[in-house]
């Protein structure tokens, strides 16, 4: 402190001598908030490096709070470097912007999270970056669409809304043989269902990036938006950090704290929501109004064997998140399906998932895919995400709404 004993009260309370005792320990790490970060002297300011986490330079480049979450997420997903972004979608954007330039080509699964396709059709296209959609259920289709200027392939498992599980290992092998970068949207797996940076368990096969909507399971509250991008590669990590720095992308420490507070229970919550989703999916199987249940852990669901190989080794129960869809009979009307959703009391109508309250959304798959996927029955798709309500109450809720709206 430069000025000892300033005489005015306003200065005294700002430049105060008190330092609390060190060694404060409690269940949660503290929240450090800063735009400005102090340097002890000018020389230190000039020397300090923001690109590694050895020191602090400015709020956008991180605080002890954000560094702590990044390191814990690296442990969860098996990555080495992590950056935090203000939403899951911005995580997808940062990964793409970090490695794509004008003239490049990017491949996305036709069943990917919709806004990632919208980004490709919008900003990426306007920056002169072309894209093609591939059939995630057909590694040959991916192989045939890789071009000399293909720089990046996006992967997602399972497919968004339609929940088919791809041969992720087969898709990664195709990319590896063609030397293109691989980014996986790992929101569903959350670092729990499988290990994207070590797909075979022997360290030989991995994706280059994972992007993760922390908004979902890491938050678990339905009240925070955040994303992460992770890599094990030092050079790719630097590209991510440079993109973040140039775009000025960072997250608020209070939001980081919310995620830090939820993270210790992620595996318990994931397992509970998974259990409930499987019970509900099983119930749907015996309902006359339902022509197909789309849940990767359910036998007969598209890609079930791929899910089993990756997420449920050696006949274990495995991991499958709290998300599934049903295809309702095409002889119903959209009005009946909408009325069914409206009549649900415990399931709220809303996007996203991973929070405490069960959610329902009817989707029109015909508008979301280049063509109707051959593994999907024709009908009306409704997606459910399970919260923490008792599964018997949820089934009663479904049953009541079905009796009122889906009798045919
Ligand atoms: C929700 C979600 C995102 C986007 O996350 P936001 O935080 O809502 O922007 C991206 N990918 C997948 C698979 C998601 O489910």
């Amino acid at each position: 402190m430069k000025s000892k004993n300033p005489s005015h009260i306003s200065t005294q309370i700002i430049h105060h001598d008190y330092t609390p005792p060190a060694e404060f320990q409690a269940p949660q790490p503290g929240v450090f908030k800063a735009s400005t970060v102090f340097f002890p002297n000018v020389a230190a300011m000039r020397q300090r490096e923001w690109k590694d986490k050895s020191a602090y330079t400015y709020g956008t480049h991180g605080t002890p709070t954000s560094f702590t979450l990044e390191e814990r997420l690296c442990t969860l997903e098996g990555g080495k470097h992590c950056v935090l972004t203000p939403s899951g979608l911005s995580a997808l954007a940062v990964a793409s912007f970090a490695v794509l330039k004008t003239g490049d080509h990017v491949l996305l699964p036709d069943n990917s999270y919709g806004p990632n396709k919208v980004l490709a059709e919008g900003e990426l296209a306007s920056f002169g970056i072309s894209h093609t959609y591939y059939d995630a259920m057909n590694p040959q289709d991916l192989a045939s669409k890789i071009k000399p200027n293909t720089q990046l392939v996006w992967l997602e498992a399972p497919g968004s809304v339609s929940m088919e599980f791809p041969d992720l290992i087969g898709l990664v092998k195709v990319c590896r043989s063609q030397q293109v970068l691989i980014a996986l949207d790992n929101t569903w797996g959350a670092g729990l269902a499988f290990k994207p940076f070590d797909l075979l368990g022997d360290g030989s096969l991995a994706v280059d990036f994972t992007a993760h909507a922390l908004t979902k399971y890491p938050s678990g509250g339905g009240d925070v938006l955040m994303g992460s991008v992770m890599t094990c590669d030092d050079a790719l990590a630097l590209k991510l950090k440079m993109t973040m720095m140039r775009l000025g992308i960072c997250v608020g420490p209070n939001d980081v704290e919310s995620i830090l507070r939820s993270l210790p229970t992620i595996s318990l919550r994931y397992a509970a929501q998974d259990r409930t989703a499987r019970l509900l999916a099983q119930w749907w199987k015996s309902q006359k109004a339902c022509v197909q249940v789309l849940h990767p852990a359910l036998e007969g669901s598209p890609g079930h064997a791929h899910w089993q190989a990756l997420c449920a080794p050696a006949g274990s129960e495995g991991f499958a998140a709290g998300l599934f869809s049903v295809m309702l009979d095409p002889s119903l009307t959209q009005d009946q399906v909408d009325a069914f959703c409206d009549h649900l009391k415990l399931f709220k109508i809303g996007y996203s998932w991973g929070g405490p309250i069960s959610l329902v959304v009817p989707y029109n798959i015909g508008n979301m895919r280049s063509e109707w996927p051959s593994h999907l029955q024709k009908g009306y798709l409704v997606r459910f995400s399970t919260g923490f309500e008792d599964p018997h109450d949820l089934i009663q809720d479904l049953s009541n709404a079905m009796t009122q709206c889906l009798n045919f």
Side-chain angles (χ1 to χ4, degrees):
M1 197 144 313
K2 280 183 179 151
S3 54
K4 280 278 174 221
N5 303 321
S7 58
H8 294 92
I9 190 79
S10 59
T11 310
Q12 284 172 9
I13 60 172
I14 297 169
H15 295 264
H16 203 282
D17 278 341
Y18 178 75
T19 310
E23 287 294 315
F24 177 76
Q25 297 197 350
Q28 296 302 327
V31 184
F32 291 88
K33 303 171 70 169
S35 47
T36 299
V37 171
F38 295 144
F39 303 92
N41 52 53
V42 174
M45 185 172 88
R46 291 196 176 124
Q47 258 172 22
R48 219 172 260 187
E49 178 53 73
W50 63 269
K51 294 188 199 100
D52 61 37
K53 290 187 195 163
S54 58
Y56 307 99
T57 48
Y58 190 60
T60 51
H61 302 151
T63 67
T65 310
S66 59
F67 286 2
T68 299
L69 180 58
E70 287 164 6
E71 292 303 309
R72 291 182 188 194
L73 291 172
C74 281
T75 301
L76 177 66
E77 283 194 68
K80 184 174 167 196
H81 306 279
C82 174
V83 296
L84 299 175
T85 65
S87 66
L89 179 54
S90 60
L92 304 176
V94 161
S96 282
F97 289 166
V99 294
L100 295 173
K101 61 182 186 311
T102 301
D104 285 345
H105 174 246
V106 56
L107 277 156
L108 297 103
D110 197 31
N111 61 1
S112 61
Y113 175 68
N116 205 18
K117 293 168 81 173
V118 173
L119 175 66
E121 291 160 14
E123 269 66 15
L124 295 189
S126 69
F127 295 163
I129 298 157
S130 60
H131 64 272
T132 310
Y133 301 131
Y134 68 91
D135 175 4
M137 299 305 280
N138 182 358
Q140 278 314 110
D141 187 57
L142 171 62
S144 73
K145 286 176 175 165
I146 294 179
K147 305 201 270 184
N149 63 337
T150 303
Q151 176 72 12
L152 177 69
V153 173
W154 274 99
L155 304 175
E156 195 171 329
S160 187
V161 177
S162 44
M163 303 301 294
E164 58 279 270
F165 207 94
D167 174 9
L168 204 58
I169 290 170
L171 293 171
V172 171
K173 283 182 175 164
V174 166
C175 298
R176 280 285 161 262
S177 72
Q178 304 280 327
Q179 321 251 308
V180 294
L181 290 168
I182 307 165
L184 168 76
D185 184 331
N186 195 32
T187 304
W188 178 93
L192 296 167
F194 59 92
K195 294 294 167 198
F197 292 107
D198 187 11
L199 283 166
L200 299 179
D202 62 4
S204 65
L205 197 70
V207 305
D208 297 296
F209 297 109
T210 61
H212 189 169
L214 307 178
T215 306
K216 309 288 168 51
Y217 291 111
S219 155
D223 57 350
V224 185
L225 288 155
M226 200 175 294
S228 64
V229 191
M230 209 171 282
T231 182
C232 288
D233 184 285
D234 296 348
L236 291 177
L238 184 57
K239 287 190 177 197
L240 286 174
K241 284 180 188 176
M242 293 303 289
T243 299
M244 298 274 293
M245 183 272 282
R246 288 187 289 247
L247 294 176
I249 294 176
C250 59
V251 296
N254 287 336
D255 287 343
V256 174
E257 186 216 14
S258 295
I259 308 274
L260 278 169
R261 193 167 194 275
S262 297
L263 206 61
T265 56
I266 186 172
S267 58
L268 301 172
R269 290 183 284 106
Y270 193 91
Q273 288 170 317
D274 177 353
R275 215 162 29 242
T276 300
R278 291 194 212 202
L279 285 170
L280 267 53
Q282 204 65 49
W283 179 86
W284 271 108
K285 256 187 141 171
S286 59
Q287 301 307 307
K288 275 207 299 275
C290 173
V291 294
Q292 194 175 20
V293 182
L294 301 162
H295 185 307
L298 219 65
E299 217 166 307
S301 192
H304 170 69
H306 299 311
W307 169 82
Q308 204 163 35
L310 195 66
C311 307
S316 66
E317 279 276 289
F319 295 86
L323 204 62
F324 70 98
S325 294
V326 297
M327 197 64 86
L328 298 180
D329 197 293
S331 69
L332 295 163
T333 66
Q334 187 68 59
D335 282 350
Q336 282 177 293
V337 174
D338 292 356
F340 166 76
C341 296
D342 287 341
H343 270 80
L344 291 167
K345 295 207 158 48
L346 300 179
F347 289 88
K348 298 296 175 189
I349 298 165
Y351 295 115
S352 202
W353 30 280
I357 294 180
S358 294
L359 299 172
V360 62
V361 182
Y363 282 96
N364 188 338
I365 279 289
N367 292 342
M368 300 166 68
R369 305 282 183 261
S370 305
E371 53 189 302
W372 191 273
S374 58
H375 53 265
L376 291 190
Q377 302 288 321
K378 286 274 161 51
Y380 299 93
L381 189 145
V382 178
R383 188 186 74 181
F384 298 92
S385 75
T386 50
F388 298 117
E389 301 92 339
D390 188 279
H392 301 98
D393 291 334
L394 292 174
I395 287 174
Q396 192 59 54
D397 194 29
L398 293 170
S399 184
N400 291 346
M402 168 124 35
T403 307
Q404 291 180 66
C405 309
L406 297 185
N407 267 336
F408 67 106

